[in-house]
Amino acid sequence: MIRKLFLTALAALSITSFELYAQEKSIVVSSTTSTEQSGLFNYMLPIFKMKTGIEVKVVAVGTGQALDIGRRGDADVVFVHDKPAEEKFVEEGYSTKRYEVMYNDFILIGPKSDPAKVGGGKDIQAAFQKISAAQAPFISRGDKSGTHAAELRYWKGAGISVSPGPAWYKETGSGMGPALNTASAMNGYILADRGTWLSFKNRGDLVILVQGDPKLFNQYGVMLVNPAKFPHVKKAQGQEFIDWLISKNGQDVIASYKIDGEQLFFPNAKK
């Protein structure tokens, strides 16, 4: 009898807990590490919550992992920066629409001594050729992130194979911040997004050596995970977050985020 009452109470508690979760004004966003490690989310999300009451719970991983989380239905929204992979995500039916939100750029970081003599140039593929020829240490995230995908495109464009990796090519399998820490410790070259670099403190002897190549353009996009595939996706709240990101208010908030007076991300949502 006691056991029956206990099980009944437990079942009631479970139903209540589930209902409370379903009604909770919160969403899960799987996103690239750069949006978190640059400090953008810490700046932006409290403003969104104050306006809407919706709490955004961020899972910050590489873009490839963030998209996989969306494919499993373990996020309501995906916010990443690898346009070809995002378009494939939509084509596969995991979302019905991709929205452009903002951009910044990739930069090539390296030691002040610049053993590969890449400094001052704007051609990222020519710089990669010089790094390979000098066999200078290069730190790769190696994590299937948007940054890693861009880096691999530049190596391919330079006509250089890094798979399997040569001895001077080091893969960390980590986010942007930890990979920058490795580059700082090894005094090596690394491709980084500008936002994370501007917020990075442990620079050591590292400086920006190559920037300004149009190929270094870095676009961010956001997508609602398809509720037709995953009925538990919080469609209304997830879409409210997306609509705010691409609204004038959201775009103004993104533009206003700066470090030492330098803007990290540039809004470009297509109305």
Side-chain angles (χ1 to χ4, degrees):
M1 182 66 175
I2 294 174
R3 177 180 171 82
K4 184 177 180 182
L5 288 171
F6 175 74
L7 290 173
T8 302
L10 187 62
L13 180 62
S14 298
I15 292 169
T16 304
S17 299
F18 177 79
E19 287 174 345
L20 285 172
Y21 171 75
Q23 294 167 7
E24 184 185 11
K25 288 197 75 174
S26 69
I27 58 171
V28 174
V29 174
S30 62
S31 184
T32 172
T33 59
S34 60
T35 44
E36 182 183 56
Q37 293 174 0
S38 64
L40 177 67
F41 276 155
N42 286 339
Y43 175 78
M44 179 176 70
L45 296 184
I47 298 172
F48 173 71
K49 184 176 181 181
M50 186 172 63
K51 285 189 168 292
T52 65
I54 299 172
E55 181 182 359
V56 178
K57 300 174 180 179
V58 177
V59 181
V61 289
T63 286
Q65 290 174 277
L67 290 167
D68 285 342
I69 289 171
R71 287 187 178 95
R72 295 195 298 269
D74 291 334
D76 303 295
V77 173
V78 179
F79 190 179
V80 289
H81 63 143
D82 185 352
K83 188 172 180 177
E86 294 163 43
E87 290 173 338
K88 183 180 179 184
F89 188 82
V90 173
E91 288 169 7
E92 292 171 341
Y94 291 105
S95 178
T96 59
K97 187 172 182 180
R98 173 188 175 274
Y99 303 80
E100 296 199 338
V101 179
M102 62 190 188
Y103 70 92
N104 64 4
D105 62 340
F106 295 114
I107 47 181
L108 182 64
I109 307 296
K112 291 177 185 175
S113 59
D114 191 15
K117 302 293 185 290
V118 302
K122 284 190 175 183
D123 187 330
I124 186 63
Q125 291 174 182
F128 274 25
Q129 289 170 343
K130 290 179 180 179
I131 291 169
S132 174
Q135 297 187 9
F138 185 93
I139 312 305
S140 170
R141 284 179 57 172
D143 63 349
K144 298 182 180 179
S145 63
T147 305
H148 183 219
E151 176 217 310
L152 293 178
R153 287 196 298 270
Y154 305 148
W155 285 119
K156 184 177 180 180
I160 296 163
S161 173
V162 288
S163 180
W168 50 267
Y169 184 81
K170 312 291 183 184
E171 291 184 293
T172 65
S174 64
M176 196 71 258
L180 278 166
N181 279 323
T182 301
S184 179
M186 294 184 64
N187 228 21
Y189 294 90
I190 185 170
L191 185 77
D193 70 280
R194 190 181 294 271
T196 307
W197 170 251
L198 288 173
S199 63
F200 183 65
K201 306 300 181 187
N202 183 32
R203 296 183 179 184
D205 288 330
L206 299 182
V207 295
I208 298 174
L209 293 172
V210 177
Q211 58 186 328
D213 188 331
K215 289 188 288 294
L216 293 170
F217 180 79
N218 181 29
Q219 178 71 50
Y220 288 78
V222 67
M223 299 169 289
L224 179 73
V225 175
N226 192 351
K229 266 188 183 295
F230 305 103
H232 60 272
V233 164
K234 294 181 179 178
K235 178 181 178 180
Q237 293 173 18
Q239 191 62 50
E240 189 170 355
F241 177 59
I242 291 171
D243 290 344
W244 180 80
L245 282 175
I246 63 176
S247 72
K248 184 180 187 305
N249 181 241
Q251 295 277 282
D252 287 347
V253 169
I254 291 168
S256 68
Y257 179 54
K258 298 179 181 180
I259 293 180
D260 297 329
E262 189 163 355
Q263 187 172 333
L264 275 71
F265 298 94
F266 297 84
N268 67 340
K270 295 176 180 178
K271 302 297 186 294

